[in-house]
Amino acid sequence: GGRFKAIDAEADLRVDRIDAPDFIALQNLRVKLDLKDAVLRLDPFDVDLADGEIRSVVRLDAQQPTLRADLDLTARRLKLARLVPPSPRLAPSSGAMGARARLSASGNSIADLAAKADGQVQAALSQGQVSNLLDAVSGLNGGKIISLLMGGDQAIPINCGAVSFAVKDGQGRSEVFVVDTMDTRIEGEGTFDLDRERFDLTIAPKPKKAGILSLRTPVRVYGSLRSPGFELDKAGLALRGGGALALAL
């Protein structure tokens, strides 16, 4: 905080486009910086991406020995088609996603701030479509997966989707996690760790039409964004599979 106390400053930054490898292009970056009396305010801190927009305000207060940071971020109309990489085997996704993050923390480094962040993170999806193959995989509907691989994929509507995480000391815990499509309702719960940049989610698919190959087994998704992993509830999978075959005999 000593450097913040030494100067006052104002600045404006505008960038038309930023391209980076393996990342979505950023457009129309707009930042207004105001530093006065050891308080740095970035308002606005805005950028466009995925045909949508992110609007945010960042405040860093260095008047006390420990830095205080506040973030208020709103994302609007982010297009799924731009966020999800295209694949020749999947029908294209569509729809718009919005999000809101309000976080506050105290610390003297980025890692320290992340480890002590408190607040709320929320996201919602509406008026969308997702690959029917993705929906079948999430619902563990083996019969549909086989037919889609043989006959071709198609897009199906997303009725709604919403997630909400409460954040305390850098740990996010789900309060709401649901995605509803024409064929599957997906409910989930889990946590994320801002300090270690890791997450651990359990997703429970619930196909709306029962079948021998529709196995309603939870899937655990965990790890980091760069190296995610997943595993099935193997005991539950075997039990459900045996029960489905027994009912068919």
Side-chain angles (χ1 to χ4, degrees), residues 151-231:
D153 192 16
Q154 60 183 342
I156 62 170
I158 297 175
N159 298 327
C160 63
V163 297
S164 179
F165 286 82
V167 183
K168 180 67 174 177
D169 294 329
Q171 307 292 310
R173 184 171 297 278
S174 61
E175 296 180 321
V176 176
F177 193 123
V178 61
V179 178
D180 188 77
T181 75
M182 180 176 66
D183 295 333
T184 307
R185 179 180 173 88
I186 303 168
E187 298 178 356
E189 62 180 7
T191 61
F192 62 78
D193 186 331
L194 291 175
D195 183 23
R196 300 173 59 216
E197 299 182 357
R198 301 186 68 82
F199 62 89
D200 193 331
L201 304 171
T202 299
I203 300 170
K206 298 181 179 180
K208 295 180 179 180
K209 295 181 181 179
I212 295 177
L213 296 179
S214 294
L215 306 176
R216 305 173 185 221
T217 302
V219 180
R220 180 180 173 228
V221 185
Y222 60 93
S224 66
L225 291 178
R226 291 187 177 183
S227 182
F230 74 93
E231 62 184 20

Side-chain angles (χ1 to χ4, degrees), residues 8 59 61 76 95 108-110 113 118 133 156 158 163 196 199-200 203 218 226 229 239 241:
D8 291 342
R59 186 177 185 272
D61 187 341
R76 302 185 183 95
N108 287 323
S109 68
I110 294 178
L113 290 170
D118 296 335
L133 181 56
I156 62 170
I158 297 175
V163 297
R196 300 173 59 216
F199 62 89
D200 193 331
I203 300 170
R226 291 187 177 183
L239 179 62

Side-chain angles (χ1 to χ4, degrees), residues 121-133:
V121 177
Q122 301 168 322
L125 174 66
S126 63
Q127 299 177 349
Q129 290 186 327
V130 69
S131 161
N132 207 1
L133 181 56

Side-chain angles (χ1 to χ4, degrees), residues 10-181:
E10 293 183 359
D12 288 281
L13 173 66
R14 293 179 178 270
V15 179
D16 291 336
R17 184 180 177 91
I18 300 175
D19 291 303
D22 301 321
F23 196 76
I24 303 170
L26 306 178
Q27 296 178 308
N28 302 321
L29 174 66
R30 300 172 297 282
V31 183
K32 180 177 177 59
L33 178 151
D34 182 73
L35 174 59
K36 186 175 182 179
D37 298 330
V39 177
L40 172 66
R41 187 176 178 87
L42 304 177
D43 182 10
F45 193 136
D46 298 344
V47 67
D48 296 344
L49 81 159
D51 293 337
E53 60 183 28
I54 294 178
R55 303 292 180 255
S56 59
V57 176
V58 180
R59 186 177 185 272
L60 301 175
D61 187 341
Q63 292 180 333
Q64 303 300 321
T66 301
L67 188 69
R68 173 74 180 181
D70 298 284
L71 168 68
D72 190 343
L73 180 149
T74 301
R76 302 185 183 95
R77 301 184 298 277
L78 304 183
K79 298 295 181 61
L80 276 183
R82 298 292 303 277
L83 294 173
V84 179
S87 170
R89 300 190 67 182
L90 299 179
S93 299
S94 66
M97 184 182 75
R100 181 77 184 273
R102 303 180 73 176
L103 299 170
S104 299
S106 296
N108 287 323
S109 68
I110 294 178
D112 198 20
L113 290 170
K116 297 177 180 178
D118 296 335
Q120 197 84 21
V121 177
Q122 301 168 322
L125 174 66
S126 63
Q127 299 177 349
Q129 290 186 327
V130 69
S131 161
N132 207 1
L133 181 56
L134 287 177
D135 184 63
V137 170
S138 68
L140 301 177
N141 191 324
K144 181 184 288 186
I145 293 170
I146 294 171
S147 66
L148 290 172
L149 288 175
M150 296 181 62
D153 192 16
Q154 60 183 342
I156 62 170
I158 297 175
N159 298 327
C160 63
V163 297
S164 179
F165 286 82
V167 183
K168 180 67 174 177
D169 294 329
Q171 307 292 310
R173 184 171 297 278
S174 61
E175 296 180 321
V176 176
F177 193 123
V178 61
V179 178
D180 188 77
T181 75

